[in-house]
Amino acid sequence: MEAANLLRAHARIQQTEAGNTARPGKKPAKDEIIEVDLHAHALLDCTNGLSATEIKDYQMKVFREKMNEHLRDKGRRIVFIHGNGDGVLRKAILTELKYSYKTCRHQDASFQQYGFGATMVTIG
């Protein structure tokens, strides 16, 4: 099976909206922080047959989708949980923010909550 089809077949985007007790599908309040877990095991049912590059490309696709979904929500804060590992995904996210989302600010997310493995983006 082609890698893109495999991704579609096994993909399940899991996102948690911190503190959001609203019904699913309803947008969280503007002051609530949205958490997006970009770990491969949280996004995909199965990674068998996928290269590291294909997994990272899918993680970046999810990152872009979430950014574009909230691009008009000025002041919205989104925490992207990428883990610490080798830093490949974190570096890709920071590069994407620098060149494609210039109006957005970013910083390391709370160390107490996420350790070194998350980046908080504020939509600008």
Side-chain angles (χ1 to χ4, degrees), residues 43-100:
L43 297 175
L44 302 165
D45 287 331
C46 176
T47 58
N48 294 344
L50 297 175
S51 70
T53 301
E54 290 169 328
I55 293 170
K56 185 187 69 108
D57 289 345
Y58 186 75
Q59 291 168 313
M60 290 304 296
K61 177 181 174 272
V62 171
F63 167 79
R64 287 184 203 101
E65 286 172 355
K66 189 54 68 175
M67 287 295 294
N68 292 334
E69 178 183 336
H70 293 285
L71 211 49
R72 293 187 178 156
D73 301 339
K74 305 294 184 208
R76 161 74 64 207
R77 292 177 295 164
I78 307 171
V79 173
F80 292 98
I81 304 168
H82 46 69
N84 32 10
D86 294 333
V88 175
L89 181 58
R90 179 180 186 274
K91 184 176 180 183
I93 288 171
L94 295 179
T95 300
E96 189 81 13
L97 287 167
K98 181 177 180 179
Y99 293 107
S100 299

Side-chain angles (χ1 to χ4, degrees), residues 3-68:
N5 290 336
L6 185 64
L7 285 174
R8 270 187 240 109
H10 295 290
R12 70 172 175 0
I13 300 175
Q14 282 187 338
Q15 64 184 46
T16 56
E17 298 169 348
N20 185 14
T21 56
R23 292 184 308 246
K26 191 172 182 181
K27 265 191 167 179
K30 194 171 182 177
D31 61 340
E32 293 180 85
I33 297 174
I34 297 173
E35 292 180 349
V36 181
D37 190 352
L38 294 176
H39 285 95
H41 62 81
L43 297 175
L44 302 165
D45 287 331
C46 176
T47 58
N48 294 344
L50 297 175
S51 70
T53 301
E54 290 169 328
I55 293 170
K56 185 187 69 108
D57 289 345
Y58 186 75
Q59 291 168 313
M60 290 304 296
K61 177 181 174 272
V62 171
F63 167 79
R64 287 184 203 101
E65 286 172 355
K66 189 54 68 175
M67 287 295 294
N68 292 334

Side-chain angles (χ1 to χ4, degrees), residues 79-84 90 107-110 114-120:
V79 173
F80 292 98
I81 304 168
H82 46 69
N84 32 10
R90 179 180 186 274
Q107 65 188 53
D108 290 337
S110 168
Y114 307 103
F116 290 111
T119 299
M120 183 166 63

